[in-house]
């Protein structure tokens, strides 16, 4: 039986223009022009996207005033200073980011300081292109914040740029996107549209990722996965980040773990951590990912199916560092369905460090949702 509740929410539509389709990159010059950008700073990794970057610089012609090819993960502050210097010297009035979340992240950092508009051309499933979230890392600490200036004005999703993406990157980046859906779905302040986006994103990702990993050239699977990533990023852009994203930022910024791999390894345990208190919010995600034996176990199973790392130990995090990360996690309050205290943080980190399949009984005390669905 469905329980009815009195709704109360704030919905703020996001004004990003989205162009989606195979071959959409051909529209980049027109979209740059429509955004009023006359001198572009292109930020994009030379390797493995050299050909695409060359194609875009050629298409932009003299509008492309500068190009930063090398991009590091987690947006080191030194790279931001260098990029701001390049932008000022070339007198650019807009930034085009080509690549994964790292390229988008550096473009956002430039926008944060300068207010320059960003046009993003994502090539992974990170979803950063749809959010107002910026990040920078200095002295082994990752700082994040939200600012409307960093949200790209236009996003061009060209599924052809994801065809042939290695299976490993497909898997971990896809679970990074799934993490956005999960945390948006259980954010107590998420509005109904955001939840719909999150659930549909989770459905698309759970459906498409196994096929995209099995055959990296499957255009339909790639299209569905990128569609899911767009929805995931949009949901994250309208929701608050909980314990999962906070922990991944700590593990990336302070312990140097790779971003998407960390998301993939942590997600089942962050879900398990919240599952007992957010069972109603997770019920539609459970249906989307096939979680009749628990969402946490379903996410873990999906990870095994698509070959993602199963534990933080596998990513090279030592036991003592896992405990240190738990201390850091517990030290700062985070908006999360379940309060993150020292014991909970430690249990979460140790479970993610070990990588065992979360069991129904270990994470939830036989909860039944208001709609009668068991998680
Ligand atoms: P990434 O951008 O660092 O890319 C990982 C690797 O994949 C790179 O070597 C890159 O060159 C390569 N690559 C990219 N696209 C490829 C493709 N199509 N085929 C083959 N190789 C390809 O990794 P990421 O996971 O996309 O992004 C991680 C960064 O994004 C982190 O710094 C993270 O904090 C940030 N991020 C931010 C947000 C946000 O909302 N602010 C959201 C998600 C991620």
């Amino acid at each position: 039986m469905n329980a009815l509740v009195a709704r109360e929410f704030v919905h703020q539509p996001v004004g990003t223009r989205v162009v989606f389709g195979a071959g959409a990159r051909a529209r980049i010059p027109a979209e740059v022009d429509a955004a009023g950008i006359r001198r572009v700073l292109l930020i994009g990794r030379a390797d493995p996207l050299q050909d695409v970057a060359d194609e875009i610089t050629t298409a932009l012609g003299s509008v492309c005033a500068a190009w930063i090819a090398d991009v590091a993960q987690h947006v080191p502050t030194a790279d931001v200073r260098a990029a701001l210097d390049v932008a000022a010297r070339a007198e650019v009035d807009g930034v085009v980011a080509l690549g994964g979340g790292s390229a988008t992240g550096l473009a956002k950092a430039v926008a944060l300081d300068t207010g320059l508009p960003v046009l993003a051309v994502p090539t992974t499933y990170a979803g950063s292109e749809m959010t107002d979230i910026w990040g920078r890392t200095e002295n082994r600490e990752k700082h994040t914040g939200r600012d409307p200036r960093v949200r790209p004005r236009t996003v061009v999703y060209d599924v052809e740029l994801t065809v042939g993406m290695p299976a490993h990157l497909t898997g971990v980046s896809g679970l990074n996107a799934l993490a956005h859906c999960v945390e948006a779905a259980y954010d107590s302040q998420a509005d109904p549209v955001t939840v719909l986006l999150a659930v549909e994103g989770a459905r698309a990702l759970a459906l498409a990722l196994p096929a995209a990993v099995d055959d990296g050239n499957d255009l339909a699977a790639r299209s569905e996965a990128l569609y899911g990533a767009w929805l995931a990023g949009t949901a994250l852009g309208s929701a608050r980040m909980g314990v999962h994203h906070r922990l991944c930022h700590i593990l990336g910024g302070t312990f140097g773990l790779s971003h998407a791999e960390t998301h993939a390894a942590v997600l089942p345990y962050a879900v398990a951590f919240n599952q007992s208190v957010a069972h109603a919010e997770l019920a539609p995600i459970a249906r989307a990912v096939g979680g009749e034996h628990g969402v946490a176990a379903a996410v873990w199973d999906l990870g095994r199916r698509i070959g993602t790392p199963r534990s933080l130990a596998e990513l090279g995090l030592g036991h003592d560092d896992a405990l240190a990360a738990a201390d850091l996690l517990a030290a700062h309050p985070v908006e999360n369905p379940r309060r993150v205290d020292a014991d909970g943080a430690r249990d979460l980190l140790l479970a993610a460090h070990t990588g065992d399949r979360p069991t129904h009984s270990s994470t939830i005390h036989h909860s039944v949702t208001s709609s009668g669905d068991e998680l």
Side-chain angles (χ1 to χ4, degrees):
M1 196 179 72
N2 280 326
L4 299 176
V5 290
R7 294 185 184 275
E8 199 174 319
F9 59 86
V10 174
H11 173 63
Q12 173 67 54
V14 171
T16 300
R17 177 178 164 83
V18 173
V19 179
F20 191 106
R25 67 188 180 284
R27 292 174 58 173
I28 292 173
E31 292 297 334
V32 164
D33 191 52
I37 302 171
R38 302 289 171 257
R39 289 180 66 76
V40 162
L41 166 62
L42 176 66
I43 296 179
R45 282 188 103 116
D47 178 27
L49 301 165
Q50 175 82 51
D51 291 352
V52 183
D54 287 346
E55 191 186 321
I56 291 172
T57 49
T58 303
L60 287 171
S62 60
V63 173
C64 190
W67 179 18
I68 295 173
D70 288 323
V71 181
Q73 269 205 359
H74 303 305
V75 194
T77 321
D79 290 11
V80 180
R81 281 194 285 271
L84 287 169
D85 192 42
V86 171
R89 275 190 285 116
E91 298 181 345
V92 303
D93 59 1
V95 186
V96 171
L98 167 71
S102 297
T104 309
L106 185 57
K108 285 174 149 183
V110 171
L112 185 65
D113 267 43
T114 62
L116 290 178
V118 174
L119 184 150
V121 186
T123 62
T124 68
Y125 305 131
S128 174
E129 65 282 353
M130 290 306 300
T131 80
D132 59 353
I133 302 163
W134 56 266
R136 284 181 184 180
T137 303
E138 185 153 37
N139 297 329
R140 298 182 66 218
E141 207 175 326
K142 186 161 183 175
H143 303 275
T144 60
R146 303 187 91 126
D147 192 301
R149 283 177 301 173
V150 309
R151 200 192 296 265
R153 302 261 176 97
T154 307
V155 180
V156 176
Y157 286 100
D158 185 344
V159 65
E160 286 176 5
L161 302 184
T162 64
V163 167
M165 187 195 299
H168 176 78
L169 180 60
T170 301
V172 295
S173 188
L175 289 194
N176 184 191
L178 185 60
H180 304 337
C181 300
V182 166
E183 294 233 300
Y186 61 45
D187 174 10
S188 60
Q189 287 181 13
D191 67 80
V193 175
T194 298
V195 173
L196 288 172
L197 297 174
V199 173
E200 169 65 357
R203 183 208 58 77
L205 289 162
L207 177 70
L209 290 175
V213 163
D214 287 351
D215 177 1
N217 297 318
D218 181 336
L219 194 69
R222 288 291 178 196
S223 182
E224 191 71 1
L226 195 59
Y227 163 72
W230 164 55
L231 295 171
T234 309
L236 183 69
S238 301
R240 298 172 303 173
M241 294 180 285
V243 68
H244 173 82
H245 283 78
R246 169 63 62 78
L247 176 54
C248 291
H249 288 164
I250 291 170
L251 292 168
T254 304
F255 298 94
L257 297 195
S258 187
H259 177 83
E261 277 83 355
T262 306
H263 273 265
V266 167
L267 186 58
Y269 308 99
V271 174
F273 181 82
N274 282 321
Q275 201 163 238
S276 59
V277 292
H279 49 271
E281 293 79 1
L282 282 167
I285 296 284
R287 283 190 287 274
V289 302
E292 60 275 9
H293 301 299
V295 194
V299 173
W300 190 92
D301 290 345
L302 178 62
R304 303 296 67 71
R305 169 67 179 84
I306 61 178
T308 56
R310 61 185 283 168
S311 70
L312 293 175
E314 196 179 316
L315 298 183
L317 188 78
H319 186 266
D320 289 350
D321 281 347
L323 294 178
D327 289 343
L328 288 173
L329 181 63
H332 304 285
V334 58
E335 294 295 343
N336 189 65
R338 178 178 155 195
R339 197 170 71 81
V340 185
D341 60 15
D343 287 344
R346 188 187 157 94
D347 289 349
L348 168 50
L349 260 299
L350 290 179
H353 190 257
T354 308
D356 291 338
R357 186 176 191 261
T359 60
H360 199 48
S361 58
S362 69
T363 56
I364 189 166
H365 310 294
H366 196 73
S367 289
V368 178
T369 68
S370 53
S371 60
D373 297 314
E374 252 188 69
L375 288 174

